[in-house]
Amino acid sequence: MRILFLTCVLALLCAAPAFGAADVCVECHAKTTPKIVSDWKNSAHSGVGTDCATCHGSEHTTAEDSHEAALATPETCRQCHPQRVEEFSNGKHALGWKSYKAMPTTHWQPMTLRTGLQGCSGCHKIGLKSEEELQELREAGSTYGAGSCDSCHTRHLFSKKEAQSPQACRTCHMGMDHPQWEMYSSSKHGVRYKLVQEGSLPEDAAAPTCQTCHMEGGDHAVMTGWGFLGVRLPMPDDEEWAEDRATVLKGLGVLDPQGNPTDRLEVVKQAKVARLTEEAFRKEREEMVKVCSQCHQESYARAELRRGDDMIRIADDLLAESIRVVAGLYEDGILKKPDSYKYAYPDLLTFHDAPTEIETRLWLMFLKHRMRTFQGAFHINPDYALWYGWSEMVRDNNYIEQRAEELRRRARVDKLLEQ
């Protein structure tokens, strides 16, 4: 028994940081970064003895060697939270950095937007990164987001309660191309949760949060049925929808003009921004039905999700029609196809780098209004689905068709003047 006791004591001493190490860090940082210290003192980490050296190492001891402080990454968190880090690694958030870098014109953006907090990278840094990518961030002098976990569990408090609040999701899931916060917070779900937060409804009232639906039981492997792009394989049995979806896939550069897969399909696979098998889609759909059935009858849940699918079908019809109009302008030489476009279709993933007014209107139709059409439906917000989504797509389509006719008319006039 005595030997066992001594063994346990020795193990604890070996695992513990050097005596007084945390006190040294706190003494200095209480002056230089006091809120970091107060956050850590209020954290669960502080209560269980996880100190600065646990995450940042012990090489940094003076103001002159601050660069020696180790950069915390998900692997740092894995030491104590292996299950959650493994779940996170299998979810779409872990792919945020890869999907950002996969966009065809990311490298055209100003460096500040690519490495700092001013552009897409500010949110997409939640994704896992290779050691080479981490080194690039170090050299750029912007290591924010390298830890990934701290995107939701803000350092150095790393609060579980904060990460469980829908407001934690708001910092990224809002704005032009994915206004989930705006849709959720003004939906019946979001309004009821707000009433719970302010005490107007009891704490156990049915009031789902983002985490209720997308992180059931705390599962960090976040994934959705349709994926960010709102496209999936195999093609639907409905021939008209299948043709429209093929056109959308051509606009995304996943299929070439003849309908054959391109090398970009592999990028979409790796980034998991679309479900590419029926099994993958059904897995996510059934998990969502299970969640919805906690508050609703299963038949009602399935019916509402099918209505969301129908909104994608309706949106695809409008978007495909506009894509074909612009592609026709390329084919007839009315509109010059950008040299950066690999195929004879407008590239929806060029975003704001679209070179002309009509092409800009097309990517806005895809990224802003189509997203609102189907995301509004799945977030149970009819106003977003209708007025901010489908109605705007109708206006986009009208504009693109009218503008295309003007361009064709001008081309005919120019040709007559040349004769």
Side-chain angles (χ1 to χ4, degrees):
M1 181 64 71
R2 180 179 175 81
I3 294 175
L4 178 61
F5 172 76
L6 290 173
T7 302
C8 292
V9 170
L10 181 61
L12 288 170
L13 288 173
C14 292
F19 177 75
D23 293 338
V24 173
C25 297
V26 169
E27 181 181 353
C28 181
H29 281 275
K31 300 172 185 176
T32 58
T33 53
K35 288 301 180 181
I36 284 180
V37 174
S38 62
D39 268 4
W40 172 74
K41 285 184 175 180
N42 286 314
S43 71
H45 286 167
S46 175
V48 299
T50 302
D51 65 4
C52 314
T54 307
C55 300
H56 298 292
S58 56
E59 297 301 314
H60 163 44
T61 57
T62 69
E64 286 70 35
D65 64 9
S66 59
H67 61 280
E68 296 290 349
L71 182 64
T73 70
E75 291 308 306
T76 309
C77 304
R78 191 189 292 272
Q79 298 175 73
C80 298
H81 307 282
Q83 179 183 344
R84 294 312 187 199
V85 173
E86 188 61 28
E87 290 170 351
F88 170 81
S89 301
N90 292 320
K92 69 173 186 176
H93 284 150
L95 297 163
W97 192 241
K98 283 184 172 58
S99 62
Y100 161 69
K101 295 185 75 174
M103 292 299 104
T105 61
T106 291
H107 63 286
W108 293 354
Q109 296 177 9
M111 186 59 71
T112 298
L113 295 178
R114 293 166 57 192
T115 62
L117 294 176
Q118 310 307 317
C120 302
S121 64
C123 283
H124 278 264
K125 277 190 176 180
I126 191 175
L128 294 176
K129 304 159 201 72
S130 66
E131 184 54 42
E132 291 75 16
E133 290 170 326
L134 289 172
Q135 184 58 35
E136 288 176 9
L137 294 178
R138 291 189 190 97
E139 293 172 356
S142 178
T143 57
Y144 168 84
S148 298
C149 307
D150 59 350
S151 295
C152 304
H153 302 268
T154 308
R155 54 184 175 184
H156 285 78
L157 188 59
F158 295 108
S159 168
K160 179 179 177 181
K161 187 173 183 179
E162 176 190 355
Q164 288 176 327
S165 167
Q167 283 87 348
C169 307
R170 179 183 185 179
T171 58
C172 288
H173 291 277
M174 51 78 66
M176 194 200 77
D177 58 336
H178 40 46
Q180 287 96 343
W181 169 257
E182 294 91 328
M183 292 183 288
Y184 162 77
S185 61
S186 56
S187 73
K188 180 62 73 174
H189 290 165
V191 169
R192 279 177 67 87
Y193 184 72
K194 178 66 175 176
L195 294 174
V196 170
Q197 283 187 314
E198 66 183 30
S200 299
L201 290 178
E203 289 189 6
D204 60 351
T209 64
C210 315
Q211 294 82 349
T212 303
C213 299
H214 297 291
M215 299 181 69
E216 186 184 14
D219 187 347
H220 284 47
V222 180
M223 198 67 69
T224 58
W226 278 93
F228 176 71
L229 296 177
V231 292
R232 71 183 187 91
L233 297 175
M235 291 294 193
D237 294 332
D238 183 319
E239 292 184 5
E240 184 177 347
W241 190 8
E243 183 179 351
D244 288 340
R245 189 183 296 175
T247 299
V248 173
L249 289 169
K250 292 174 184 179
L252 291 169
V254 176
L255 299 179
D256 67 17
Q258 289 72 45
N260 301 311
T262 69
D263 51 6
R264 192 178 285 182
L265 177 61
E266 192 59 37
V267 175
V268 169
K269 285 181 180 179
Q270 293 178 4
K272 295 184 179 179
V273 289
R275 303 288 79 80
L276 301 180
T277 66
E278 183 67 20
E279 292 75 18
F281 174 78
R282 285 296 157 200
K283 176 181 179 294
E284 302 304 328
R285 174 54 58 89
E286 291 307 311
E287 288 185 3
M288 188 55 66
V289 169
K290 178 183 174 183
V291 170
C292 298
S293 298
Q294 295 177 28
C295 299
H296 305 284
Q297 289 186 345
E298 181 181 326
S299 58
Y300 173 83
R302 290 188 183 279
E304 288 304 308
L305 289 169
R306 282 196 298 271
R307 289 187 179 93
D309 298 341
D310 286 341
M311 290 302 291
I312 294 180
R313 176 179 56 80
I314 292 170
D316 283 352
D317 181 51
L318 285 167
L319 180 61
E321 186 175 340
S322 292
I323 291 173
R324 293 178 191 121
V325 169
V326 177
L329 293 175
Y330 291 160
E331 184 178 358
D332 296 339
I334 306 297
L335 194 65
K336 183 182 184 302
K337 182 177 75 69
D339 295 336
S340 60
Y341 289 12
K342 189 172 182 179
Y343 304 108
Y345 265 71
D347 192 339
L348 299 176
L349 297 184
T350 54
F351 302 159
H352 39 257
D353 293 305
T356 66
E357 186 180 14
I358 192 170
E359 291 161 294
T360 296
R361 190 64 171 256
L362 182 62
W363 83 260
L364 279 172
M365 183 184 190
F366 161 68
L367 196 64
K368 185 176 183 180
H369 302 140
R370 179 175 176 271
M371 293 295 186
R372 283 161 167 74
T373 301
F374 76 87
Q375 290 178 359
F378 284 125
H379 285 85
I380 319 302
N381 195 314
D383 211 51
Y384 260 87
L386 173 60
W387 294 113
Y388 298 100
W390 178 79
S391 178
E392 290 291 339
M393 289 191 74
V394 171
R395 293 173 62 186
D396 292 332
N397 184 250
N398 289 342
Y399 171 86
I400 288 170
E401 289 188 342
Q402 181 179 350
R403 183 65 180 143
E405 183 53 40
E406 290 173 358
L407 291 172
R408 289 183 178 281
R409 189 182 305 119
R410 183 184 302 172
R412 288 195 293 270
V413 170
D414 289 344
K415 189 173 182 179
L416 287 173
L417 291 176
E418 291 174 359
Q419 292 176 349

